[in-house]
Amino acid sequence: MRPRVRFAPSPTGYLHVGGARTALFNWLYARRHGGTFILRIEDTDVERSSADMVTAIFNSMRWLGLEWDEGPGVGGPHAPYFQTERLDKYRGAARALAESGRAYRCFCKPDDLKAERAAAESAGGTWNYDRRCFKLAPAEIAARVAAGAPHALRFLVPGGKTTFDDLVHGTIEFENLNIEDFVILRSDNYPTYHLSVVVDDVEMQVTEVVRGDDHISNTPKQVLLYQAMSAPVPRFAHVPLILGPDKKRLSKRHGATSVGEYEAQGYLPEAMVNFLALLGWSPGSGDQEVFTRDELIARFTLEGISGGNAVFNPEKLDWFNQQHIMRMPADAILDRVRGDLAAAGLWRDRFATSDRAWMGRVIDLVKPRAKKLADIVPQLRPFIEDRIEVDPAAAQKHLSAPDLGPHLAAWRDALARVEPFDAATLEAALRATAETRGIKAGVLIHATRVAVTGRAVSPGIFDVLELIGRERVLNRLA
């Protein structure tokens, strides 16, 4: 059977980079083996879930290129894929477990149990539910039900041990004595996480469950539910958590944590996918770090996932982004920054037609200096606008010498005559002018850069002059 894996976010917030990494691992595994990637929305936390968060999760998934094979908007043989639309399935499964003696009614008030737990823990002890309702006589249970007493359903944990083989951590074993009889259906008739996730995974025929390390403690309860339902237990792979540079769990204090924030900051989805894939997974031998999506698919294995926590390094993400920008064709970059150019008042329709080749040359010139797509737009301004703003500090440093005027005038005269107007010829002309006037070439180079671009730094100035064009260069020097 080809693998069937799922990503099941709760729409109580935006798609966090940790969730995105989990989704990516599932997606890569499905693509590598010709399997099915399922998206399921676990929205049974009705108070905290929202339609806006659902939309945001969809948008972030699509931006990353993690299209799903089954799920919302796509459909599939196991629809619906929102848990709030599947409540009858969970309630039916809970009743079946109760009828088979694997679950029992619990009439205890949650607040009372919470208080008992708190008291035990404050005294330095531990607390597990003592099965007091399991011990009720059948007549007492029937009377309470007939009187309409609210009650939950608890799973009856058997004795012995629960063991599963984790593809990342190896064999993991839990003593059932330490697993309390957990609630599977609350008194409000809503399922708990453990029941709903297992019912869905059984019906959707999930073969591998790839999720974060923080779910390891949930796994024995879910294994017991699979077994109680006489369903095959999927293989588990618990992936390491993502930590900040301070080795603490990644949070807002480390900067952006949602995928949407990185998209807004001008990161490429290709770079984010590459970066996330290497957070806790190794492609094997070799020192290659920059991968295309297809290369990641070809190399990905669950066995390559590391058992140690991964560190989210923003500087490394910037490096990946720069590497992918460098590898991206100028036409593709132009298409992606078109909206930003328009928002900055810099878009011209001719960039898509007659000037597209010229614009491509400009983008290729400036992109080595861009860590993000957002860095490209301001660098394009001197090439697009007729008038530029000059940085006062740069002007003070490179344009304020009292004897500079005659030198620039001579250089401008040379520029007016030079043929062809290309980088190599321009460089030769500048150096000849500087030599004739007995000054260092750098004096003219720095002054020209500030006068023509408004800045003290730029790509190679002679390439810049060629692409800006003779007329605008002469005007700015004047």
Side-chain angles (χ1 to χ4, degrees):
M1 184 177 180
R2 291 184 176 181
R4 291 177 57 82
V5 295
R6 48 76 167 175
F7 176 56
S10 297
T12 55
Y14 295 100
L15 181 62
H16 185 277
V17 293
R21 195 269 309 265
T22 298
L24 174 62
F25 282 0
N26 279 281
W27 184 86
L28 288 171
Y29 184 70
R31 293 294 174 265
R32 168 76 188 274
H33 297 284
T36 301
F37 176 57
I38 304 164
L39 177 62
R40 187 173 74 222
I41 302 299
E42 297 189 344
D43 58 345
T44 52
D45 187 347
V46 178
E47 291 183 359
R48 297 174 59 219
S49 298
S50 75
D52 287 344
M53 291 299 101
V54 171
T55 300
I57 290 170
F58 291 168
N59 290 341
S60 292
M61 295 275 289
R62 292 188 177 108
W63 179 71
L64 289 170
L66 306 183
E67 297 289 346
W68 48 98
D69 305 307
E70 292 181 20
V74 177
H78 305 293
Y81 293 91
F82 285 85
Q83 286 192 334
T84 50
E85 299 174 16
R86 301 171 59 82
L87 295 176
D88 287 345
K89 296 179 182 292
Y90 312 136
R91 292 162 183 162
R95 285 194 299 269
L97 287 170
E99 290 167 2
S100 67
R102 304 306 299 269
Y104 59 92
R105 290 182 172 90
C106 177
F107 300 91
C108 298
K109 295 179 180 180
D111 288 344
D112 292 343
L113 298 181
K114 190 180 297 183
E116 289 182 25
R117 183 185 299 274
E121 291 176 351
S122 65
T126 58
W127 185 91
N128 273 347
Y129 183 67
D130 59 7
R131 292 185 170 175
R132 66 194 70 167
C133 288
F134 177 67
K135 300 169 186 175
L136 292 174
E140 173 69 11
I141 294 172
R144 293 191 185 194
V145 172
H151 60 274
L153 284 181
R154 284 186 182 272
F155 182 77
L156 182 61
V157 175
K161 299 178 180 180
T162 299
T163 304
F164 61 94
D165 292 321
D166 192 283
L167 296 172
V168 177
H169 300 283
T171 300
I172 298 178
E173 185 175 86
F174 287 83
E175 292 283 351
N176 290 359
L177 183 66
N178 298 321
I179 305 173
E180 72 174 353
D181 291 354
F182 53 95
V183 174
I184 57 174
L185 194 69
R186 296 192 296 262
S187 59
D188 61 3
N189 216 23
Y190 264 75
T192 60
Y193 166 73
H194 297 299
L195 178 67
S196 58
V197 72
V198 170
V199 170
D200 286 345
D201 283 349
V202 170
E203 181 177 306
M204 296 176 187
Q205 300 177 296
V206 169
T207 57
E208 282 86 12
V209 173
V210 183
R211 58 188 181 184
D213 269 352
D214 49 341
H215 282 283
I216 288 179
S217 60
N218 294 327
T219 305
K221 297 177 181 179
Q222 292 164 17
V223 168
L224 290 171
L225 282 171
Y226 286 112
Q227 294 170 345
M229 295 178 186
S230 301
V233 179
R235 299 197 303 167
F236 291 93
H238 289 95
V239 304
L241 299 178
I242 299 178
L243 306 180
D246 58 1
K247 305 299 176 66
K248 295 181 179 179
R249 189 162 183 174
L250 191 66
S251 67
K252 275 290 185 182
R253 69 178 179 276
H254 298 110
T257 58
S258 76
V259 171
E261 290 177 275
Y262 290 101
E263 178 184 4
Q265 290 178 18
Y267 286 94
L268 296 176
E270 296 89 343
M272 182 60 75
V273 163
N274 192 166
F275 175 69
L276 289 177
L278 297 181
L279 283 180
W281 170 75
S282 171
S285 59
D287 56 3
Q288 180 181 353
E289 290 187 281
V290 180
F291 293 91
T292 65
R293 201 177 301 263
D294 287 343
E295 288 172 333
L296 289 172
I297 291 171
R299 301 278 287 273
F300 187 79
T301 64
L302 294 177
E303 290 74 16
I305 297 173
S306 164
N309 290 323
V311 175
F312 190 102
N313 184 342
E315 293 179 359
K316 190 68 173 182
L317 174 58
D318 287 345
W319 181 84
F320 273 112
N321 207 55
Q322 191 169 34
Q323 295 301 309
H324 280 274
I325 287 175
M326 288 297 296
R327 287 161 171 76
M328 181 173 287
D331 271 357
I333 292 177
L334 179 59
D335 289 340
R336 295 201 193 190
V337 301
R338 177 170 177 167
D340 293 332
L341 286 170
L346 298 175
W347 177 255
R348 311 289 185 264
D349 287 342
R350 65 179 185 275
F351 296 163
T353 54
S354 60
D355 280 357
R356 191 172 184 93
W358 170 80
M359 196 64 172
R361 292 180 62 199
V362 175
I363 288 174
D364 279 335
L365 180 64
V366 304
K367 72 182 184 183
R369 294 174 171 268
K371 290 183 178 179
K372 306 172 187 175
L373 285 183
D375 298 337
I376 289 179
V377 172
Q379 292 191 70
L380 296 178
R381 190 175 292 276
F383 297 89
I384 296 173
E385 293 189 319
D386 291 329
R387 297 182 63 84
I388 60 165
E389 293 184 9
V390 177
D391 174 31
Q396 177 63 32
K397 184 174 183 179
H398 297 296
L399 292 177
S400 62
D403 61 345
L404 183 62
H407 299 315
L408 277 184
W411 167 224
R412 185 176 181 277
D413 289 343
L415 282 171
R417 298 188 304 271
V418 67
E419 289 292 347
F421 199 83
D422 61 27
T425 309
L426 291 168
E427 181 174 5
L430 180 141
R431 296 189 182 282
T433 301
E435 184 176 359
T436 299
R437 301 196 59 84
I439 60 174
K440 293 181 178 180
V443 173
L444 291 181
I445 288 173
H446 294 313
T448 301
R449 177 177 285 112
V450 177
V452 173
T453 70
R455 304 167 187 172
V457 294
S458 75
I461 187 58
F462 302 109
D463 294 302
V464 169
L465 298 179
E466 177 183 345
L467 289 169
I468 287 179
R470 190 194 309 267
E471 181 179 354
R472 287 189 295 176
V473 168
L474 293 175
N475 288 341
R476 291 174 190 179
L477 281 173

